[in-house]
Amino acid sequence: MEDSTPPPPPLPPPPKPSGRGPPPPLLHPPGSRGPPPTSPPSKEPAVVDYLEAVPTAKTKLQQMELLREHAAKSSMSSPSPSSTPSSPPPSSPPEPEFDSPSFLDLPPEMLKHIARHLHPPDILSLYAICREIRRVLRTIQADAVCKLRQHANLLKKYIVQLADKEVCLRGNLKDPLDAVCKALSLLPALQFLSLQNNQLAELPESLGNLGCCSSTNIVRPFHWERGMQILDLQNNQLTAIPESIGNLQSLRRLYLQNNQLTAIPESLGSLQELQILYLQNNQLTAIPESLGNLQNLRTLFLDSNQLTAIPESLGNLQELRQLDLRDNRLTNPDQNPVVIALRTKNCKVYV
C-alpha cells in the first residue's frame, strides 16, 4: 500500500555571497522600539582644570582671561533659585580652615576648595600671596642657617665645644664681642665665662642671653644647671653695664673690678642668686637702691671709687658678711647708720 503523505517542500537556495561582509549585529532586542536612551554629558565646568591652567599661564592677561571665562561658565551652569525645589542642603564635610599654617603648604591644585567662597580675581591674588610667603620663609630659613653656620665657625675658632661649661677668653678676644656673645648663647650648659684683660670698652645687650637656650631649640641634656653662674669682666675699660645683665638670674659671682664704671644699672638688683660682687677700682659716684634686694649677697667690695654716700637699703642685706668702703669720699663712715646696722649683724665693714 502506497503512502499518501505529501513530500516536504524543497529548501530555498542559499543566499548568494556578496562582497559587503556579514550583516551588523542587532543593538537591541527584536521587540524593543530602539536603543536605550543615553544621558547627556555634564556641562559643569571643572574648577581643577581652570586652577591648573592658572599657574602655567605665561602672562597676567592670560591668567585674568582664564579667570573670567571660568566665572562666566560658573554663572551659566548654576540653576536659578526659582526653578529648584526647596530641599535641605546635603551634608558635606567641614571645610578646612584657610587661616591655618597648613594652608600655605597646599599645592595650587588644592585651591579648588577656596573657589566656592572667593571670586576668581581673589583666588589669583591669594595664590600670589602664598607664593610670596613661601619665598620669604625660604629666605628666612636660609639666613638662619647661614648665621648658625657662622656662629659654629666662630666657636670652632676659639676651640669651644657645644657641651662646654667653662669658656676662658682671657686676653684672647679678636672678634667683636657682640658676635662672640651670640655664638656663646648657643652653649646650653655655659656656667663660667672669663673676658678679662681684653680692653673692652662696652658690653652688648646680647650678654644677657649667655647660658640661656630660650632663643634656640637645643635640648638641655642630663641635669645641667640652667644659666650663667660666674662672669669675669675685670681688667677692661668698661664704662657702663647693659641692663640685660639682669637676665642672668642664675649668676652667683660677678667680677667688675679694675674698669672705668661710672654707674651700675638698676637691673643688677634682680640677680637674686648673686653672692659675690666686686666693684673696686672704678669711678662709681653712687650705688643704686636695688642692691638692697640681693638677699643672698655675702661679699661686696666698693673700695677705691668716688662714693659720697651709700644707700640705706644695704642695711637690709641679712647675709652680707664683708663690705669694703675704703678709699672713697664718705664723711664719718663709722657713724653711718648703715655701717652700724651691718656691724650688728656680724658683717665686717672696712671703712
Side-chain angles (χ1 to χ4, degrees):
M1 184 175 181
E2 296 181 355
D3 190 5
S4 63
T5 304
L11 297 174
K16 297 181 181 181
S18 62
R20 298 181 181 179
L26 294 177
L27 299 180
H28 53 277
S32 62
R33 297 181 179 180
T38 58
S39 59
S42 176
K43 297 182 180 181
E44 182 179 358
V47 183
V48 179
D49 298 338
Y50 133 76
L51 286 172
E52 288 179 352
V54 170
T56 59
K58 294 183 179 180
T59 62
K60 192 82 172 183
L61 182 60
Q62 293 178 357
Q63 294 178 359
M64 296 303 299
E65 291 296 335
L66 290 173
L67 292 170
R68 292 170 182 168
E69 181 182 354
H70 171 69
K73 291 181 180 179
S74 299
S75 60
M76 294 176 59
S77 60
S78 59
S80 60
S82 60
S83 62
T84 57
S86 61
S87 60
S91 60
S92 59
E95 296 292 336
E97 297 182 0
F98 301 122
D99 56 348
S100 61
S102 60
F103 169 67
L104 298 178
D105 299 330
L106 294 177
E109 60 269 12
M110 294 300 294
L111 294 177
K112 61 181 180 180
H113 300 289
I114 314 174
R116 305 173 186 174
H117 309 281
L118 299 177
H119 297 290
D122 297 334
I123 299 175
L124 181 61
S125 302
L126 185 60
Y127 175 72
I129 292 174
C130 292
R131 290 188 60 183
E132 182 65 18
I133 292 177
R134 289 194 186 100
R135 186 189 66 81
V136 173
L137 291 178
R138 285 194 295 266
T139 303
I140 294 176
Q141 183 179 9
D143 293 342
V145 172
C146 182
K147 291 181 180 179
L148 186 61
R149 186 179 293 111
Q150 292 176 359
H151 295 338
N153 293 334
L154 193 59
L155 294 177
K156 185 178 180 181
K157 176 181 179 180
Y158 290 102
I159 318 178
V160 176
Q161 302 295 328
L162 187 62
D164 286 349
K165 296 183 180 181
E166 300 181 0
V167 176
C168 183
L169 301 177
R170 185 180 303 157
N172 191 29
L173 193 62
K174 300 178 181 179
D175 295 275
L177 185 58
D178 186 26
V180 174
C181 288
K182 290 180 180 179
L184 292 176
S185 63
L186 300 178
L187 306 183
L190 185 62
Q191 298 179 8
F192 170 81
L193 175 62
S194 177
L195 293 171
Q196 60 173 298
N197 300 327
N198 280 299
Q199 301 299 316
L200 300 175
E202 59 181 0
L203 297 175
E205 289 291 336
S206 57
L207 183 72
N209 298 328
L210 296 178
C212 302
C213 53
S214 58
S215 58
T216 60
N217 293 326
I218 302 176
V219 179
R220 198 175 289 270
F222 306 113
H223 299 284
W224 287 343
E225 298 185 12
R226 182 178 178 83
M228 178 79 62
Q229 296 187 15
I230 303 175
L231 181 59
D232 190 354
L233 296 170
Q234 60 178 304
N235 299 329
N236 284 289
Q237 300 296 324
L238 300 175
T239 58
I241 303 297
E243 289 286 344
S244 62
I245 198 171
N247 299 334
L248 305 178
Q249 294 295 319
S250 300
L251 197 63
R252 297 182 180 180
R253 299 183 182 183
L254 180 58
Y255 301 102
L256 292 169
Q257 67 268 29
N258 302 327
N259 281 283
Q260 302 296 325
L261 298 175
T262 58
I264 297 298
E266 290 285 344
S267 61
L268 198 63
S270 63
L271 304 178
Q272 296 298 319
E273 300 295 330
L274 193 62
Q275 299 178 3
I276 298 177
L277 178 58
Y278 284 4
L279 292 169
Q280 66 268 29
N281 295 324
N282 281 284
Q283 303 296 324
L284 298 175
T285 58
I287 297 297
E289 290 283 346
S290 61
L291 289 188
N293 301 328
L294 304 177
Q295 296 300 321
N296 291 316
L297 190 63
R298 301 179 61 89
T299 303
L300 177 58
F301 286 174
L302 295 170
D303 52 294
S304 301
N305 280 283
Q306 305 296 324
L307 298 177
T308 57
I310 54 178
E312 296 182 0
S313 60
L314 293 184
N316 302 328
L317 300 178
Q318 302 295 330
E319 299 296 330
L320 191 62
R321 294 296 177 262
Q322 290 187 12
L323 176 60
D324 197 342
L325 297 172
R326 291 175 293 184
D327 298 331
N328 280 285
R329 297 182 179 180
L330 300 173
T331 58
N332 297 325
D334 290 328
Q335 304 299 324
N336 193 295
V338 178
V339 175
I340 296 175
L342 290 176
R343 283 177 175 173
T344 59
K345 300 176 182 178
N346 297 326
C347 177
K348 296 181 179 180
V349 182
Y350 303 99
V351 294

